[in-house]
């Protein structure tokens, strides 16, 4: 059985252009330099494609958290890598791949606010997955909304760290997951 493609490369390109248009409009008469923060590792392909379509000045930084194991969220968030830019009093854009339970972004927002006191925090996310939301969290700019609870792989989304390199988003088949499990076991 073949993969169920959720968003093709072409669809992703259109979605990201729409997000970039919204950002470009916000910064048409730019008076300050925002800091765009990529949430590693999942947001990387989205972040890289998005910033190339943004035609204003920005600084970039990276933060890394983890909450997923296999195909589900553990709900326990760990900060693995912190930002290095001085963002106090700055306008911050957190760029995330997906909102699922909302716990990760909720944690990140609170962490950044508490530790760095930026002037504002805007959340930009590629996919807003609604069914499993546990906290009241909404992104300010959303690429697409997914009404079904599907486990996505590709374009940054991983299965135990593999699958991030595909240029489209899909739901892996059972057979594919079994093959990956075998490969991952032999890689230990
Ligand atoms: P949340 O904390 O909102 O439940 O989840 C956010 C994180 O969980 C995302 O940054 C992403 O790493 C991971 N995640 C959520 N849904 C999926 C999914 O469908 N596939 C994969 N591979 N990761 C997901």
């Amino acid at each position: 059985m073949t993969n169920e493609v959720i968003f093709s490369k072409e669809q992703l390109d259109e979605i990201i252009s729409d997000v970039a248009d919204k950002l470009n409009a916000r910064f048409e008469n730019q008076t300050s330099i925002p800091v765009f923060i990529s949430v590693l590792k999942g947001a990387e392909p989205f972040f890289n494609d998005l910033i190339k379509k943004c035609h204003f000045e920005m600084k970039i930084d990276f933060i890394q958290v983890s909450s997923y194991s296999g195909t589900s969220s553990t709900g326990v968030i760990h900060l693995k890598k912190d930002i290095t830019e001085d963002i106090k009093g700055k306008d911050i854009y957190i760029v995330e791949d997906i909102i699922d339970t909302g716990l990760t972004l909720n944690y990140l927002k609170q962490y950044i606010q508490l530790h760095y006191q930026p002037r504002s925090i805007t959340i930009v996310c590629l996919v807003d997955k609604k069914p499993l939301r546990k906290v009241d969290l909404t992104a300010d700019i959303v690429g697409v909304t997914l009404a079904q609870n599907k486990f996505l792989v590709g374009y940054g989304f991983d299965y135990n760290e593999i699958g991030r390199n595909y240029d489209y988003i899909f739901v892996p088949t059972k057979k594919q997951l079994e093959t990956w499990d075998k490969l991952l076991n032999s890689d230990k």
Side-chain angles (χ1 to χ4, degrees):
M1 217 171 91
T2 54
N3 287 327
E4 180 192 354
V5 176
I6 304 295
F7 301 112
S8 67
K9 184 176 188 287
E10 293 70 27
Q11 284 172 318
L12 286 170
D13 191 58
E14 268 179 40
I15 292 163
I16 295 157
S17 293
D18 285 349
V19 173
D21 285 349
K22 288 184 184 131
L23 291 164
N24 285 324
R26 280 188 178 211
F27 288 95
E28 210 167 61
N29 300 307
Q30 181 167 18
T31 53
S32 62
I33 303 173
V35 182
F36 275 60
I37 301 177
S38 171
V39 185
L40 299 171
K41 301 174 188 169
E44 266 305 278
F46 171 47
F47 186 80
N48 285 328
D49 288 343
L50 179 67
I51 61 172
K52 284 181 275 185
K53 291 178 191 273
C54 290
H55 310 305
F56 51 87
E57 309 316 325
M58 65 166 72
K59 292 182 180 176
I60 63 169
D61 209 336
F62 305 90
I63 199 162
Q64 186 173 8
V65 288
S66 70
S67 71
Y68 247 61
S69 173
T71 60
S72 61
S73 175
T74 62
V76 185
I77 323 279
H78 298 283
L79 183 74
K80 293 182 126 185
K81 185 214 166 295
D82 208 344
I83 53 168
T84 54
E85 283 294 323
D86 179 8
I87 62 166
K88 191 171 174 143
K90 305 271 173 66
D91 295 315
I92 299 309
Y93 283 72
I94 303 179
V95 180
E96 176 62 309
D97 52 359
I98 192 164
I99 312 180
D100 186 10
T101 60
L103 292 170
T104 305
L105 274 173
N106 202 38
Y107 167 89
L108 272 178
K109 241 182 131 172
Q110 283 177 16
Y111 175 82
I112 289 176
Q113 189 60 55
L114 208 72
H115 285 78
Y116 300 110
Q117 294 97 41
R119 178 164 61 184
S120 68
I121 300 180
T122 301
I123 293 181
V124 181
C125 105
L126 178 61
V127 182
D128 189 352
K129 201 158 85 170
K130 297 267 189 206
L132 295 183
R133 195 61 51 86
K134 287 190 180 150
V135 286
D136 183 20
L137 187 121
T138 41
D140 302 279
I141 301 179
V142 175
V144 279
T145 301
L146 204 64
Q148 317 96 312
N149 180 27
K150 292 180 186 271
F151 176 69
L152 310 175
V153 173
Y155 199 70
F157 295 110
D158 72 308
Y159 172 70
N160 287 326
E161 293 300 328
I162 59 175
R164 294 192 198 272
N165 53 304
Y166 290 83
D167 60 7
Y168 63 102
I169 296 177
F170 59 97
V171 176
T173 61
K174 201 164 165 273
K175 186 150 186 327
Q176 194 158 29
L177 288 176
E178 283 165 10
T179 308
W180 284 346
D181 278 337
K182 269 194 205 141
L183 205 55
L184 286 162
N185 277 328
S186 69
D187 191 49
K188 277 180 185 159

